[in-house]
Amino acid sequence: MSPSPPGLDASTDEYDSSTGPIADALAKFIAESCSYACGGENSIQGSELNVTGQNQEGFKPKPLASPVTIRWDAATTNSKLVLPADLGSNTADAEALAELLRCAQPATFGCNGMEATDERYRKALEMKPSAFSTNFCPYTAGIVDAIAQALLPNATSPNGHHGVRAELSKLHVYTSPSGMFKAHFDTPQSASHFGTLVVCLPCVHEGGQLIVRHRGHSTTFDWSKSSNSLQWAAFYTDCEHEVLEVTSGHRLVFTYKLCVSRGLGDLAGNCDVINFQQLPLYQKVKETLVNSEFMPKGGHLGWKCSHAYAHGTNAGAAALPTVLKGSDMAIYEVFRSLDLPVCIRPVLQDISNFYSAGDLGEVEDLQGLDHVGHDFGDPYTMDRYSNETTMRDYYDQYPHSLHKVTWLQNRAEAEGNVEIAYVAPYADLASEAGVIYSYCALICRISPYEERVNLDHTGTTE
Ligand SMILES: O=C(O)CCC(=O)C(=O)O
Ligand SMILES: [Fe+2]
């Protein structure tokens, strides 16, 4: 037996019968309770807590954040508050907060599709993002990335590449003696809206705990313990939550709508942010199309993708073409913005690669033609039909059509996936299998010169 890897000790591997059910109960609890809310804390740079508290031995240093500045529209010049602030002894800070409260409005809440105010249900003040600005950004603080990982597990998206967008909703201030928000659910405002982020600013207060509930579990975020750090919580819209009464001080929070966004490799075909017509490639393709010597009778122009996409599996296939990246994405988007019909298909490796692998069969008629598959997905498995089965027979069984494709690069540059698993024609044992690879390719139909010069390609950039 090989020795245990570092950190594992074979002597603790004893099995006892009571462990299984306890581990099962723990697993059930984890599945139900760990995935509906998360939270964290960033200490403020230079603050007392950061110097003396959390960085001692045994404590993980917390990520640092800058003091938070809020500037707002006001008739007076006194319209800036920096937190943490010394509200007790610094009258300028206390006045700035008082002015912020004067400029804020009673907080609303959604009720039957309308915005309502009712202090019995929500007692707080609010400021809309159009009325103030701040240097705080949940992206730079690392909060949005943390939420994307903790609350959007891969299972929720077909390709696991979704990102999170945090949209600032409002600044809310809950003030003692009775600032609070009764138990409620946040109404999803679009198909992509999946949760809420609340960021509590460093300001002395007591009470005001946020309680988030989900299927009999609850999590309490008590942010009164520290007034020198930014503390936050994020949760799904299907979680009931409430803010208990603030019993002293002021509880200031930024609230954000959390939406699923495309991003992190989920863009091709949906990317409004990059202007592909500005790429040098766009002009080059355009120039090529008006060259009468380039594919004068039209045909198919192909690009074997330079990145790997697991196109030979059903899951990988479902993510195409949105996960295309780099040059593959640029070519796909440039073809599309020129209104050129482009499709993405598996192309079988050239049959002539099998010159030494048993009987190829008749292949002369295939010269210069490519086997373009109808669909991506898990590999085809094929049995040997008889001793006379040739490699050509395997190719013919695969759902595809033959095309003469003008490739933009050498075949060798592309990376293949297994497309067909077959029982080798030369195999004596039935278990001896072979594979045929496919490449993931972009194939664009080019019309004959006479037709395409008359086409009004979009995006003329003169
Ligand atoms: O202030 C909080 O902690 C929660 C705010 C809230 O529930 C909301 O704005 O919908
Ligand atoms: Fe809410």
Side-chain angles (χ1 to χ4, degrees):
M1 207 167 79
S2 56
S4 298
L8 296 184
D9 173 4
S11 69
T12 57
D13 282 348
E14 285 289 302
Y15 179 80
D16 70 77
S17 59
S18 57
T19 301
I22 299 172
D24 286 349
L26 186 59
K28 187 165 178 285
F29 188 87
I30 290 169
E32 286 174 359
S33 67
C34 282
S35 53
Y36 66 91
C38 63
E41 181 175 6
N42 294 24
S43 31
I44 301 284
Q45 240 150 5
S47 72
E48 226 175 281
L49 173 105
N50 184 33
V51 176
T52 58
Q54 302 294 316
N55 287 348
Q56 290 164 7
E57 212 180 322
F59 283 87
K60 204 163 140 252
K62 299 206 177 286
L64 291 180
S66 304
V68 178
T69 302
I70 305 169
R71 289 189 166 83
W72 63 94
D73 301 334
T76 67
T77 50
N78 199 10
S79 57
K80 173 181 148 183
L81 177 65
V82 182
L83 296 169
D86 186 359
L87 298 170
S89 48
N90 187 328
T91 44
D93 284 347
E95 271 170 27
L97 177 60
E99 180 63 10
L100 176 75
L101 300 184
R102 269 194 294 279
C103 294
Q105 280 82 46
T108 62
F109 52 88
C111 183
N112 299 327
M114 311 274 286
E115 289 295 294
T117 51
D118 182 342
E119 286 204 346
R120 290 168 303 175
Y121 194 63
R122 181 176 210 176
K123 185 154 179 252
L125 292 171
E126 70 171 34
M127 214 177 241
K128 294 198 170 72
S130 55
F132 74 92
S133 60
T134 179
N135 63 333
F136 175 74
C137 171
Y139 293 85
T140 11
I143 295 172
V144 176
D145 281 345
I147 293 170
Q149 203 160 338
L151 293 190
L152 277 192
N154 288 354
T156 62
S157 98
N159 54 36
H161 284 98
H162 285 326
V164 168
R165 194 176 65 246
E167 291 174 17
L168 180 59
S169 304
K170 277 172 196 167
L171 163 66
H172 284 119
V173 188
Y174 300 80
T175 297
S176 67
S178 49
M180 57 83 198
F181 195 177
K182 287 262 162 65
H184 67 283
F185 293 88
D186 292 342
T187 319
Q189 277 156 33
S190 65
S192 63
H193 180 193
F194 73 91
T196 300
L197 163 66
V198 186
V199 178
C200 184
L201 307 186
C203 188
V204 180
H205 68 275
E206 272 170 32
Q209 294 87 344
L210 169 68
I211 304 177
V212 182
R213 300 187 186 91
H214 182 77
R215 294 192 191 161
H217 297 270
S218 83
T219 308
T220 300
F221 296 93
D222 185 352
W223 296 323
S224 65
K225 307 254 184 323
S226 162
S227 53
N228 285 309
S229 61
L230 278 163
Q231 299 169 92
W232 60 271
F235 47 89
Y236 294 129
T237 45
D238 67 350
C239 293
E240 187 193 61
H241 54 286
E242 70 177 301
V243 180
L244 302 188
E245 277 194 18
V246 175
T247 51
S248 86
H250 303 271
R251 177 185 185 271
L252 281 80
V253 295
F254 291 138
T255 48
Y256 298 81
K257 271 195 320 192
L258 294 172
C259 301
V260 179
S261 71
R262 295 193 179 273
L264 306 172
D266 196 14
L267 287 177
N270 301 290
C271 183
D272 308 329
V273 188
I274 303 174
N275 183 354
F276 290 95
Q277 294 166 8
Q278 283 172 345
L279 292 183
L281 175 68
Y282 177 85
Q283 281 308 329
K284 190 73 196 161
V285 175
K286 236 179 120 179
E287 280 164 30
T288 308
L289 290 174
V290 294
N291 183 341
S292 59
E293 286 169 32
F294 175 73
M295 301 177 85
K297 297 195 179 120
H300 289 104
L301 188 62
W303 169 258
K304 290 190 178 154
C305 290
S306 34
H307 295 269
Y309 299 108
H311 64 270
T313 66
N314 285 341
L320 286 167
T322 56
V323 294
L324 290 177
K325 51 187 185 255
S327 54
D328 305 334
M329 172 166 165
I331 290 166
Y332 180 78
E333 293 288 1
V334 163
F335 284 162
R336 274 165 38 97
S337 40
L338 284 162
D339 280 342
L340 297 173
V342 54
C343 59
I344 174 161
R345 294 275 186 276
V347 175
L348 292 189
Q349 68 185 123
D350 201 311
I351 194 166
S352 61
N353 288 359
F354 288 94
Y355 60 90
S356 62
D359 184 6
L360 276 184
E362 299 291 318
V363 291
E364 285 68 27
D365 58 323
L366 299 177
Q367 283 300 318
L369 291 176
D370 284 283
H371 294 78
V372 181
H374 291 163
D375 232 333
F376 289 113
D378 288 343
Y380 277 77
T381 47
M382 293 183 194
D383 291 335
R384 177 169 51 174
Y385 315 110
S386 72
N387 282 341
E388 280 78 53
T389 307
T390 65
M391 190 56 73
R392 171 70 186 261
D393 295 326
Y394 291 114
Y395 271 67
D396 286 349
Q397 286 297 309
Y398 174 73
H400 73 286
S401 40
L402 288 167
H403 294 283
K404 161 127 195 51
V405 181
T406 303
W407 294 105
L408 286 168
Q409 82 277 59
N410 287 332
R411 282 142 211 269
E413 289 169 40
E415 201 168 320
N417 271 206
V418 171
E419 189 68 33
I420 302 174
Y422 62 89
V423 176
Y426 48 88
D428 288 334
L429 298 169
S431 61
E432 194 160 342
V435 292
I436 299 168
Y437 289 96
S438 73
Y439 304 106
C440 179
L442 304 178
I443 300 178
C444 179
R445 195 166 53 71
I446 305 286
S447 3
Y449 173 73
E450 300 298 338
E451 268 176 47
R452 68 182 188 245
V453 283
N454 295 324
L455 280 181
D456 175 25
H457 292 305
T458 55
T460 27
T461 51
E462 285 81 44

